[in-house]
Every structure is written in structure tokens, then in C-alpha cells.
Amino acid sequence: MIKKWNCFRKKSKKSTAEIVPHDVILNNGITTTTTGTTACTAAAAVVSTKSSTVRLYGSPTSVPAAYIRFALLHKGVSVRFVPSDTPNFGSDAPVLQIGSETVSGSLETVLRYIDARFPHPPLGVRSCDEEDEEEEETTPLVVRAIALQHKSMTWHVERLVRWVEDLATRGGKGSVDPTVGSPRMEMKKLARSYSELLEVLLEHAQMEERVVFPILEKADRGICKAANEEHARDLPIMNGIKEGIKSIGVMDSGSPDYQEALSNLSTRLKSLQENSKQHFMEEDKDLLPFMEAVELNKEQQKRVLEQCLDVMQGTHSHLFNFLLEGLLPCEAMQYLDLFISCNDREQTASTLKLIID
């Protein structure tokens, strides 16, 4: 079993393809956070794997394999996933291979091995007995899910703000990273990333309006009025950003109009960033805690979470990886726990493929 971790952020080599936020910059093997703190011990774990190939054998639909991959990401260890339905002599248990060392068995066994092999930062693995003795989590399931969604969306908005600021600083010049492509190709990638974020934002708002807010309104009429108004307020800004990106995509990257359009886009994105950050903060602090006062039992909590995930079916069917990308590995595992608890094996398996692929 896994306790909440004290995670650090790791920079991805790709702009949109990894499952960890990029708020840590890896520089010459040293991990430096945005606050300037240097995690030398974490860097040591990365350096120790340079001479060893790390492979994970398992089914792309295996929940334990997904957990192990997140654990290695938490340690800053790059792993090569090798699809195999029965990697351990006919067993479907995942197999982890680091150099000449091989380990398999229960999820707890593999996670303890990872913690021993790469001590920093610790996973905080606990036995089932230890977990049972701990105080029961009282935060409603849907509140936990919404808080994690808020974190992911906040990170994605901030990332787009930094991306457009960088474009404006370059003044229409291409990125130094050849994988980004020409300015026009980069704008297409920016447009795709924003479209994905927009879909998540809209489905998240619909989820709250259709499922969460009605529950709170039954207990206290008018309590969600401000939140509903803020959802409507941000729609023009979000649509304006979409149209702005589309217009820039067909402009000459060296023209004054291009630079002015980027400046306007940056202003709109910063407005969205400020509004969404404030909105999420107010919901997390002032609104969602009332869900606990509604006093739903465990079965009712699960039913509410299931209804919420049903509304966000589009996001989870093809943007699950995008949603997890804005979370730390430990947070991604927490969200995965919530998702798995409300879906059948077939739905869970198809979603896990999005993570592994």
C-alpha cells in the first residue's frame, strides 16, 4: 500500500508527452526546483542508473505495472516499458529489471525494492496492516478527485502562459529545440495543447454543474451561485484564446502583426490563469469542504464520483494521459486509485493503455 509521498517535480524531455510536471530543471545531473532548492540525493539516483538499463515487463493493462512506472518517475528514473502479458513464467505479475538484478512478486515487494535501490525521495511504502491501523480518510472521494483536477488544469494553464511568453521573447524565431519544428509547426502544437486543455476545462465545469453543485444546493440553496457565474464569465476568454491562436497560426512569424497578436494572446492567457487559479482556490477552500457536511456514506460517495467520471467520459477516454501530465507521480497514482475504484476492469484496462503508450 502507498502512503502520500513527499514528491519533487522533474522536467520532461518532451513538451507534452510525459506524465510529470516540468517545474524542476535537470541540469548536469542536479535537480533544481523553481525555488532554488537542490535535490542532490535525487540526482544521485538518476546518476546511478546511467550505467544500468531499467526495464519494466508487464501488461499494458496492468494496474501494478502503472503503479511501478509512477514510482520510478517519482525517483527520477527513466524506464523502458516492454509489453508482455505473462512476463514471470506464465504469471501476469510485472517484472522489473535493473542491470543484472531482477525482481517480481507483489506490488508492495517491488515498491520496497525500488525504495531500497533508489532511497531518495522515499516512497513511504506501508504494509496492509499498517494502513489498516491508520486513521480513515474523511475527505469525500469527489472532493479529492476535483482537487487533483484543479492541480492539473492549473499546471497546464501556467505552462501555456510560459510557452507564449517564450514565443513572444523569440520574436517569431524558431525554437532551439529542433523537435519543436518551425514557428508555424510550433503554433499547431500550441493550438492542439490548448484545445485539449479547453476540453478538460469545459467537461470539468459540466461535471460540477450537473453533479456536485446540485448536491450542495439541496443542502443550502444559492451556495453555488458565484461558482456558476464564474464558469460563465470565463467562457468568452477561453473562446477568445482559441480564436487568437488560430489567427496567429496563419500569420507571417516575422511581421509586426504577429508580435502584437502574441502579446494579446499572452494577456488573455494570463487573465485565464488568474481567473482559474482564483476560482479553483475558492472552490477548494470555501465550497468543496461543504461536501463533507452533506454526510454521504461510502456507497453514496462512490456513486457521486461515478456520476462525475461519467460526465468526464470524453476526457478520460482519450485525454487521461494529458490530465495526469499536470500532476506529480504521487498525485497521478492517487487519481488513478479514484478512477479504478469507479470503473470496471475493461474500462480501466483501456485507460491504462493511454498511460503506457
Side-chain angles (χ1 to χ4, degrees):
M1 301 293 288
I2 300 172
K3 188 70 174 171
K4 291 182 179 179
W5 301 344
N6 178 22
C7 293
F8 72 100
R9 297 181 183 267
K10 167 181 173 290
K11 184 177 180 181
S12 167
K13 294 181 180 179
K14 298 181 181 179
S15 59
T16 59
E18 295 297 330
I19 312 179
V20 284
H22 313 172
D23 294 89
V24 160
I25 300 173
L26 289 178
N27 183 17
N28 296 325
I30 302 298
T31 305
T32 306
T33 66
T34 51
T35 58
T37 304
T38 303
C40 297
T41 52
V46 178
V47 173
S48 69
T49 63
K50 286 185 177 180
S51 59
S52 302
T53 301
V54 181
R55 291 188 176 92
L56 175 62
Y57 300 84
S59 169
T61 62
S62 165
V63 174
Y67 274 98
I68 294 168
R69 182 165 183 256
F70 284 131
L72 291 167
L73 283 172
H74 173 64
K75 299 290 189 177
V77 177
S78 178
V79 58
R80 178 185 173 188
F81 181 76
V82 182
S84 177
D85 289 330
T86 55
N88 188 23
F89 301 103
S91 168
D92 59 358
V95 173
L96 180 65
Q97 185 179 63
I98 303 177
S100 59
E101 299 178 16
T102 301
V103 63
S104 186
S106 68
L107 177 59
E108 182 181 329
T109 297
V110 178
L111 293 179
R112 288 190 180 280
Y113 168 81
I114 292 173
D115 235 3
R117 185 71 165 74
F118 311 107
H120 303 285
L123 293 177
V125 182
R126 293 175 180 269
S127 68
C128 295
D129 291 339
E130 289 173 324
E131 286 287 334
D132 291 338
E133 292 174 359
E134 290 189 355
E135 184 178 352
E136 185 178 357
E137 175 65 71
T138 59
T139 305
L141 298 176
V142 69
V143 175
R144 290 184 237 168
I146 291 175
L148 290 170
Q149 290 176 8
H150 284 171
K151 287 185 178 182
S152 176
M153 291 182 290
T154 297
W155 179 81
H156 276 290
V157 174
E158 291 175 348
R159 174 176 170 270
L160 286 171
V161 168
R162 294 195 300 267
W163 193 348
V164 173
E165 286 179 338
D166 182 49
L167 278 166
T169 300
R170 283 186 263 137
K173 296 180 180 178
S175 170
V176 294
D177 183 356
T179 63
V180 174
S182 67
R184 183 158 295 185
M185 293 166 68
E186 185 173 4
M187 284 307 302
K188 287 182 179 180
K189 292 179 180 180
L190 177 68
R192 182 174 64 249
S193 186
Y194 179 73
S195 293
E196 293 171 335
L197 172 61
L198 185 59
E199 183 174 344
V200 174
L201 284 167
L202 292 176
E203 279 200 346
H204 172 84
Q206 291 172 4
M207 175 195 73
E208 292 182 333
E209 292 166 5
R210 295 180 187 178
V211 181
V212 180
F213 292 173
I215 293 174
L216 294 174
E217 287 285 339
K218 285 182 180 179
D220 188 347
R221 185 171 296 278
I223 194 173
C224 301
K225 181 181 178 182
N228 275 312
E229 290 174 348
E230 288 175 0
H231 285 174
R233 174 201 63 189
D234 288 337
L235 272 175
I237 297 176
M238 292 189 287
N239 290 331
I241 292 171
K242 184 176 181 179
E243 292 303 315
I245 294 174
K246 188 185 300 183
S247 298
I248 295 172
V250 297
M251 289 181 179
D252 179 0
S253 60
S255 69
D257 289 343
Y258 180 87
Q259 197 66 26
E260 183 180 355
L262 277 178
S263 177
N264 292 335
L265 177 60
S266 178
T267 299
R268 286 175 173 173
L269 275 169
K270 287 177 181 177
S271 294
L272 178 61
Q273 178 187 26
E274 183 178 347
N275 290 349
S276 59
K277 186 176 182 179
Q278 182 66 27
H279 174 68
F280 295 157
M281 188 182 302
E282 289 174 354
E283 282 192 351
D284 290 339
K285 181 181 177 182
D286 301 328
L287 187 61
L288 293 178
F290 288 120
M291 281 296 296
E292 190 169 339
V294 176
E295 297 183 340
L296 300 176
N297 60 39
K298 288 185 178 180
E299 192 58 36
Q300 290 171 325
Q301 284 191 40
K302 185 175 180 180
R303 195 176 306 121
V304 170
L305 181 58
E306 287 173 346
Q307 292 171 350
C308 287
L309 295 182
D310 283 344
V311 176
M312 294 192 69
Q313 186 175 7
T315 291
H316 291 103
S317 65
H318 66 281
L319 293 177
F320 197 67
N321 210 34
F322 180 85
L323 184 63
L324 297 187
E325 182 187 4
L327 298 174
L328 296 169
C330 62
E331 295 166 344
M333 293 180 77
Q334 292 168 22
Y335 195 82
L336 188 60
D337 273 336
L338 293 169
F339 180 84
I340 291 172
S341 70
C342 292
N343 286 280
D344 57 32
R345 186 178 181 88
E346 184 177 346
Q347 177 63 35
T348 298
S350 64
T351 303
L352 288 178
K353 282 186 176 181
L354 296 175
I355 302 173
I356 299 299
D357 295 345

